[in-house]
Amino acid sequence: QVHLLESGGESVQLGGSLTLTCVVSGYTSSRAYNRGCMAWFHQAPGKERERVATIYIGSGTKHYSDSVRGRFAISRDNAKKTMSLKMDSLKADDAGMYYCAATYSSVACIQNEDYEYWGQGTQVAVSS
């Protein structure tokens, strides 16, 4: 069973930077993990969970939501089994919980339901 563990969330000042990390564990020999995608989701208080950054495992293609494009950067280190989200120029709207998610199936990686595994989340606060 794949397990995802996020870290790095903390309180930062408006305009500041932060890097979140997701550590993946639990790979088994019974399944291939060279397809699918991993993503970061953001959930602000009282709002729905939104996918903000996606990386496709096979191609390495990255996709960002309009709200973070140009400010956030997703990356993946296959050897270390980690995924990161570099967040720059943080805004008040970026505050909330950030979740790491993954799927190793051939799905579109668009709907929340496409993702098989989820972390517990890490909290980001942005103060002025």
Side-chain angles (χ1 to χ4, degrees), residues 4 22 24 37-39 53-55 57 74 76 83 100-102 104 115:
L4 307 178
C22 174
V24 186
C37 51
M38 298 186 70
T54 311
I55 185 165
I57 294 172
I74 188 172
R76 183 171 169 264
M83 179 179 67
C100 167
Y104 302 100
Y115 293 83

Side-chain angles (χ1 to χ4, degrees), residues 2-118:
V2 172
H3 183 248
L4 307 178
L5 181 63
E6 304 96 333
S7 63
E10 62 181 71
S11 180
V12 295
Q13 287 200 325
L14 203 62
S17 297
L18 195 61
T19 298
L20 306 181
T21 299
C22 174
V23 178
V24 186
S25 62
Y27 287 144
T28 68
S29 59
S30 62
R31 184 178 185 181
Y33 298 96
N34 58 354
R35 58 183 178 180
C37 51
M38 298 186 70
W40 286 98
F41 286 75
H42 170 230
Q43 188 166 21
K47 296 190 176 181
E48 292 188 357
R49 196 171 295 188
E50 173 197 21
R51 183 171 52 92
V52 295
T54 311
I55 185 165
Y56 290 80
I57 294 172
S59 66
T61 301
K62 302 172 184 178
H63 176 269
Y64 299 94
S65 68
D66 290 343
S67 62
V68 308
R69 188 176 293 113
R71 300 187 298 120
F72 290 12
I74 188 172
S75 61
R76 183 171 169 264
D77 187 326
N78 194 40
K80 295 181 179 178
K81 297 183 176 60
T82 60
M83 179 179 67
S84 297
L85 185 68
K86 178 73 163 59
M87 308 161 70
D88 294 323
S89 303
L90 282 162
K91 303 177 180 180
D93 288 347
D94 295 325
M97 287 292 287
Y98 283 79
Y99 298 91
C100 167
T103 179
Y104 302 100
S105 299
S106 297
V107 293
C109 301
I110 295 175
Q111 304 296 329
N112 292 16
E113 294 72 21
D114 289 339
Y115 293 83
E116 300 171 90
Y117 305 104
W118 292 83

